[in-house]
Amino acid sequence: MKSRVRRGKARDSLSFGLSAGLHEPTRRDIGPQLPFDFSRCLEELEQRVEAQNLSADLVYLASEIAALEPRLDPKDRLALLVLVLVTIISVRRGSTRFMVDCESSLTQAVSELCGPAFEEAGLKDLPKKIKRLLHDGGKLKVVGLDQDDYKPLLYFPPHIYHQRIYRTECALAGDVAKLLKNEPLEIDETALQVALEDLGNLPLKVEGKTVALSDEQMAAVTAAARSRLTIVSGGPGTGKTFIVASLIRLLVRLGVKCEEIALAAPTGKAANRMEESLRRALQAIESLSPTDSLMLKRLPQPQTLHRLLGYSSSRRRFNHHRNNRLGFSVVIVDEVSMVDLTLMERLVGALGPNCRLILLGDTDQLPSVSAGAVLRDLLSVVESIAQANPGASTAGAIRLSKSFRHHADDTSTRAISIFAEAIKRGDTEVLENKADTSGLAVLRRSSPEELSYSGVELLENTPQNIQQFVDRWFRERIQGSNELQRLKAKVFRQTDDGTIAPEDQSEMKELFDHVSRALIVCVTRVFATGSEALNEVFHERVARTKLTAPSLGRFEPGEPIIVTRNDYDRELFNGDQGVVIRARHQAGAKPFLAAAFPFGSSFRAFPLNTIEDSIELSYAITAHKAQGSEYEMVALLLPMNDMPLLTRELIYTAVTRARRAIVIVGDLLLLRTAIARKIERSSGLGERVLLELNNQSAQH
């Protein structure tokens, strides 16, 4: 049997600090006489990796690393390959390290990868072989035992790290420790109190109602004004944007210029939402003071972290770093749960010596796609510092608990809020078909026709139900009315710079609002219940039922799209959502397909053939891609079988994307399992920050 191990993108996905001598293992490398079918073991590893929603190319990457040890006997060589693969999968699942000395963790990780082929090869005791290799006097060329070793893996019992991840974690921990050890900010407490009173006299409005800062929000704003590092965690509706708006107003009153404040988020979608929410809140001030009027005119533009740091896609590096610092005195970052270890290290390393850093996010949401749980770790560190030093003012940590999203008479939003809180607690009793003390319940539906699309509903995912659900969703949410079909077929006029002509802006907004109102969230991209399959189904139906002739391409007019990578020239960013339209530059000109996106209060469109490689359909997207967004209605489609990705944080993230309705299509037992399963990411960031603080204190 011939192994499918192959070269691919995996080699570029993780940098181990070694580029020479990597090659695919062959029988010649292992020895002339193999005591077992090595290729069959590789095949089994590939199949098991793919079953975990990961690329089989990871097996090739692991085999390249193991190939650097040609003198090992075949079984030890395969044991090393499995060890490397276990660490790669651990990083892909978000951990920065793997506890290899924990027998249960190692045994479980190995059993997920190794089955009958390894048993036939006489490798039932693989965990023991792996431990023996690690403890055999440090003879492995690919495993270092010292932090200065330049080897792919670093073994510091009981953990094993990838070298790049370890160095990044150490660098971030050192920078955070320096930030926390800086001298406290010089704050005029009298001026601070006067500014806070002024904010109270000129309150903001939320949904037309005058709202004062709650005690939690006031604590967050005050801490951010006094501290070098402030971390605010809270779920949807807890007023994080309200805090940012109030903080900017406060800082300006304390003498900070708007030009000295940077606002950022990990994605373009999140940055745009940040800007919209801030302007809406600030423009709702009943009586603008001269200070607020000037601030509104000079309000900093929220941007992606990559743009803030000046990322160059051609050079694949950042313009701002520890040798070319950012010039801001305040940096405020929203949706930090999405920020991974590497990007946070780049940000903190680029801060000036006197800069305040304010991080906002939701620790209960899904953490970053890449390695790290930065928001969780830093919040825990700052809380421990605050508890140990109650009078310290270099750091502040606030957890927001009160939600302002739902009203007493709005049962739909209240049901979602109550359900989300139960998910956070891991409370599966909420799934029982019983109303709570407020009369709200998760309503079970036996068929899609029973769905009311209000509050929280659970539909069993039988094949028949899934098919009927897809049929109804297409009929009501995608195909829509004759008026919607007219808008999809309309040819929108453009000005010379690509902006939709003023006379067509209102209909453009109507079309965009429709495609942005409802969303299907999936656990994975692949498999029958993944986003790729659903998008293909809906696309084929649209092409068959449209009023005009099909375009015979990847996209049809009226289809929702999402940007998959940053495009700085066009100011389009990963996560931005838009709609495909028919457009033309002037009367009489031939129409062409274009991708339209909101830009402030207007829309701009780009010829589809110029950005087609950077967009994909978004009738359905993964929970990770849905972060930073909100929709009137969300349907969460669970897979048919359990998988490690199915966790409490994923369910919570999907549920909290919905404002008025969440429909979960899935097996009740599987949903219970997911809510009970919490993401466990192993990270040394928190303990390393505290260690760095102790070391810095000892040096002084």
Side-chain angles (χ1 to χ4, degrees):
M1 183 181 296
K2 189 174 182 180
S3 172
R4 294 184 298 119
V5 172
R6 57 206 179 274
R7 297 181 185 273
K9 294 181 179 178
R11 180 171 181 174
D12 296 326
S13 64
L14 290 170
S15 173
F16 289 89
L18 286 175
S19 58
L22 296 182
H23 59 283
E24 190 169 354
T26 64
R27 292 178 182 270
R28 178 175 53 81
D29 294 327
I30 299 164
Q33 299 297 321
L34 286 174
F36 59 91
D37 193 337
F38 191 84
S39 295
R40 183 160 184 265
C41 290
L42 294 182
E43 285 278 359
E44 184 172 81
L45 289 175
E46 288 181 319
Q47 292 166 5
R48 298 240 175 161
V49 166
E50 286 180 327
Q52 296 181 41
N53 193 36
L54 295 167
S55 170
D57 285 343
L58 298 183
V59 179
Y60 166 69
L61 182 57
S63 68
E64 278 198 316
I65 303 301
L68 292 173
E69 302 284 358
R71 296 183 180 179
L72 289 177
D73 72 62
K75 290 188 177 181
D76 282 348
R77 176 78 166 282
L78 193 56
L80 177 60
L81 190 157
V82 171
L83 169 63
V84 175
L85 186 57
V86 164
T87 67
I88 294 173
I89 292 174
S90 177
V91 170
R92 285 300 179 91
R93 290 179 177 173
S95 291
T96 65
R97 60 188 184 180
F98 179 75
M99 189 177 283
V100 71
D101 283 356
C102 175
E103 186 171 348
S104 59
S105 296
L106 182 59
T107 300
Q108 180 179 343
V110 171
S111 65
E112 289 177 357
L113 294 172
C114 305
F118 284 80
E119 291 184 13
E120 292 172 11
L123 289 167
K124 290 183 179 180
D125 60 345
L126 209 54
K128 290 182 179 179
K129 277 189 171 295
I130 289 172
K131 285 190 174 184
R132 181 178 56 76
L133 283 172
L134 288 173
H135 292 88
D136 192 19
K139 296 178 181 178
L140 294 175
K141 294 180 180 179
V142 299
V143 181
L145 302 177
D146 186 272
Q147 63 180 8
D148 294 324
D149 283 344
Y150 195 63
K151 296 183 178 182
L153 301 176
L154 297 176
Y155 176 45
F156 306 130
H159 299 105
I160 190 164
Y161 277 89
H162 288 177
Q163 183 203 104
R164 177 179 60 83
I165 297 292
Y166 175 77
R167 296 193 186 285
T168 302
E169 189 172 88
C170 288
L172 177 57
D175 288 334
V176 170
K178 288 177 184 176
L179 188 64
L180 295 173
K181 289 297 289 185
N182 281 345
E183 291 297 320
L185 294 164
E186 295 183 5
I187 297 293
D188 185 329
E189 290 295 329
T190 301
L192 176 61
Q193 294 306 315
V194 170
L196 289 171
E197 288 177 12
D198 192 36
L199 294 187
N201 294 331
L202 298 168
L204 297 173
K205 279 189 174 182
V206 176
E207 297 180 355
K209 296 181 180 179
T210 300
V211 179
L213 288 166
S214 68
D215 291 343
E216 289 178 336
Q217 293 168 337
M218 178 64 77
V221 171
T222 306
R226 289 176 171 150
S227 305
R228 296 280 185 190
L229 174 63
T230 305
I231 302 176
V232 180
S233 175
T238 53
K240 295 189 293 294
T241 302
F242 189 54
I243 288 170
V244 174
S246 300
L247 175 60
I248 294 173
R249 296 178 70 200
L250 180 65
L251 292 173
V252 170
R253 282 163 170 77
L254 293 175
V256 178
K257 297 177 181 178
C258 283
E259 294 79 9
E260 298 175 4
I261 302 173
L263 303 176
T267 67
K269 178 83 172 177
N272 289 337
R273 277 194 60 214
M274 188 182 190
E275 180 179 21
E276 292 167 6
S277 300
L278 280 174
R279 288 200 177 276
R280 189 164 55 244
L282 294 171
Q283 289 169 351
I285 301 172
E286 286 188 295
S287 179
L288 284 171
S289 69
T291 301
D292 287 324
S293 296
L294 184 62
M295 180 197 62
L296 260 176
K297 293 178 182 177
R298 298 179 177 176
L299 185 68
Q301 175 96 18
Q303 55 191 316
T304 65
L305 284 168
H306 280 76
R307 179 171 282 279
L308 174 69
L309 294 171
Y311 181 73
S312 168
S313 56
S314 60
R315 295 186 298 128
R316 302 184 74 175
R317 62 180 59 184
F318 294 96
N319 183 47
H320 292 288
H321 41 73
R322 60 188 73 250
N323 295 319
N324 182 30
R325 308 270 179 166
L326 292 165
F328 301 102
S329 60
V330 180
V331 173
I332 303 173
V333 186
D334 197 11
E335 296 289 356
V336 178
S337 64
M338 301 165 67
V339 180
D340 62 31
L341 178 78
T342 300
L343 187 54
M344 185 58 72
E345 186 270 331
R346 298 292 188 271
L347 172 65
V348 179
L351 297 178
N354 296 311
C355 187
R356 288 185 183 91
L357 178 62
I358 298 101
L359 305 177
L360 303 101
D362 185 352
T363 54
D364 295 303
Q365 274 193 40
L366 280 169
S368 59
V369 176
S370 299
V374 177
L375 182 65
R376 179 201 70 183
D377 291 346
L378 294 184
L379 180 63
S380 177
V381 165
V382 174
E383 284 178 332
S384 66
I385 291 172
Q387 291 172 2
N389 306 282
S393 58
T394 56
I398 295 88
R399 292 181 187 262
L400 305 174
S401 58
K402 183 177 180 180
S403 175
F404 300 91
R405 174 174 284 185
H406 65 259
H407 307 290
D409 57 348
D410 190 339
T411 56
S412 294
T413 57
R414 287 181 63 229
I416 294 172
S417 181
I418 290 170
F419 185 44
E421 287 300 315
I423 294 170
K424 283 167 57 174
R425 298 191 303 270
D427 179 8
T428 58
E429 291 298 314
V430 72
L431 297 173
E432 301 304 322
N433 199 19
K434 301 174 183 177
D436 67 357
T437 55
S438 64
L440 300 174
V442 175
L443 302 175
R444 296 188 198 172
R445 306 302 190 192
S446 58
S447 76
E449 295 306 317
E450 295 179 8
L451 294 171
S452 64
Y453 291 108
S454 177
V456 184
E457 299 174 285
L458 175 62
L459 174 67
E460 186 75 14
N461 63 340
T462 64
Q464 182 180 6
N465 273 352
I466 292 178
Q467 183 61 57
Q468 291 179 358
F469 167 78
V470 168
D471 292 342
R472 183 178 174 187
W473 189 274
F474 176 77
R475 187 173 65 249
E476 297 177 355
R477 312 297 162 199
I478 298 175
Q479 192 172 29
S481 64
N482 289 335
E483 171 61 15
L484 177 62
Q485 292 301 309
R486 184 190 69 80
L487 289 174
K488 290 181 178 181
K490 177 182 172 65
V491 178
F492 291 88
R493 286 160 291 187
Q494 287 183 285
T495 60
D496 291 340
D497 66 352
T499 301
I500 299 299
E503 61 268 27
D504 284 348
Q505 284 283 346
S506 61
E507 289 188 316
M508 181 72 251
K509 185 176 187 305
E510 187 179 347
L511 176 60
F512 180 77
D513 286 348
H514 174 82
V515 301
S516 305
R517 193 169 294 130
L519 176 74
I520 296 179
V521 175
C522 301
V523 176
T524 67
R525 292 176 60 93
V526 297
F527 308 132
T529 55
S531 59
E532 291 178 352
L534 278 173
N535 283 325
E536 184 177 347
V537 166
F538 289 134
H539 172 70
E540 290 178 352
R541 291 194 182 191
V542 166
R544 290 199 308 265
T545 58
K546 61 181 290 192
L547 296 178
T548 57
S551 66
L552 303 179
R554 290 176 55 211
F555 306 98
E556 295 287 347
E559 292 198 293
I561 51 177
I562 187 169
V563 176
T564 56
R565 62 171 180 255
N566 294 334
D567 185 337
Y568 295 100
D569 293 333
R570 296 180 177 86
E571 296 185 342
L572 295 174
F573 303 101
N574 187 18
D576 285 354
Q577 290 181 277
V579 60
V580 177
I581 62 169
R582 299 174 72 217
R584 67 174 169 222
H585 291 301
Q586 57 189 9
K590 184 178 179 180
F592 58 91
L593 286 183
F597 298 89
F599 278 77
S601 59
S602 62
F603 288 83
R604 191 181 304 165
F606 306 90
L608 193 62
N609 59 4
T610 65
I611 65 168
E612 195 166 356
D613 292 339
S614 301
I615 58 175
E616 62 186 24
L617 290 170
S618 60
Y619 294 111
I621 60 179
T622 62
H624 271 293
K625 283 187 178 293
Q627 283 183 278
S629 304
E630 284 185 353
Y631 303 85
E632 285 295 310
M633 183 183 306
V634 171
L636 170 60
L637 184 57
L638 300 183
M640 303 304 292
N641 301 304
D642 192 17
M643 57 179 57
L645 281 175
L646 205 52
T647 63
R648 179 185 309 174
E649 290 82 358
L650 185 143
I651 303 298
Y652 172 82
T653 299
V655 167
T656 53
R657 299 311 92 203
R659 286 190 289 264
R660 301 195 58 80
I662 173 71
V663 175
I664 300 175
V665 183
D667 177 72
L668 177 60
L669 180 59
L670 193 59
L671 182 57
R672 280 202 190 103
T673 301
I675 293 175
R677 178 191 290 139
K678 193 168 175 59
I679 287 179
E680 298 295 341
R681 289 192 169 186
S682 180
S683 165
L685 179 61
E687 61 196 57
R688 203 168 297 283
V689 170
L690 295 176
L691 181 63
E692 287 285 344
L693 285 171
N694 291 334
N695 290 340
Q696 290 178 17
S697 297
Q699 291 173 5
H700 288 85

